[in-house]
C-alpha cells in the first residue's frame, strides 16, 4: 500500500482509481454470474453494485471538492475536511 504521495491531490486521485478498480472487479463477477445463469448470485451482487456506485460517486466528489477549494493550501485542507464529512 502506497504511503507517500507526491501531492495532497494524489491521495484523492488514487482513492478514485481504487474505487474504479473495485467497480471493475464487481462487474466481472456480475458478467460471470450472467454467463453461468446464476441469477441468485447476480441478485445478491446487486447490493454491491449499488454500494459501489455510491462509493465511486463520493470519490469523484471529493476530487471535485479538492479542485474547487484548492487555493490557499492550509485553508483549502480545512475546507476540504469540512466538506468531505458531508459526503455520503
Amino acid at each position: 500500500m502506497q504511503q507517500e504521495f507526491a501531492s495532497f491531490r494524489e491521495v484523492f486521485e488514487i482513492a478514485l482509481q481504487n474505487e474504479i478498480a473495485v467497480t471493475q472487479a464487481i462487474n466481472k463477477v456480475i458478467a460471470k454470474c450472467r454467463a453461468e445463469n446464476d441469477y441468485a448470485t447476480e441478485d445478491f451482487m446487486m447490493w454491491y453494485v449499488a454500494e459501489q456506485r455510491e462509493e465511486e460517486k463520493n470519490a469523484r466528489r471529493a476530487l471535485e471538492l479538492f479542485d474547487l477549494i484548492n487555493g490557499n493550501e492550509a485553508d483549502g485542507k480545512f475546507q476540504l475536511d469540512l466538506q468531505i464529512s458531508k459526503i455520503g
Side-chain angles (χ1 to χ4, degrees):
M1 176 166 52
Q2 183 174 347
Q3 295 182 4
E4 300 217 7
F5 304 92
S7 68
F8 190 50
R9 187 181 198 285
E10 184 183 19
V11 174
F12 295 96
E13 291 170 344
I14 290 172
L16 176 57
Q17 290 170 6
N18 288 337
E19 293 301 342
I20 290 169
V22 170
T23 298
Q24 291 170 344
I26 290 170
N27 289 342
K28 287 179 183 179
V29 172
I30 297 293
K32 184 69 172 173
C33 290
R34 289 180 179 169
E36 298 293 325
N37 295 323
D38 186 353
Y39 305 112
T41 304
E42 181 179 347
D43 185 58
F44 171 76
M45 290 300 298
M46 295 316 287
W47 180 87
Y48 292 96
V49 170
E51 182 67 20
Q52 191 54 33
R53 241 189 336 247
E54 183 71 19
E55 292 300 323
E56 199 170 316
K57 181 186 95 176
N58 290 343
R60 290 181 194 284
R61 181 65 181 138
L63 196 52
E64 289 170 358
L65 285 170
F66 180 84
D67 289 341
L68 287 172
I69 295 170
N70 191 22
N72 180 333
E73 182 81 12
D75 186 51
K77 288 180 184 177
F78 175 74
Q79 290 298 324
L80 185 61
D81 188 48
L82 289 176
Q83 295 300 319
I84 284 181
S85 68
K86 297 176 184 176
I87 294 176

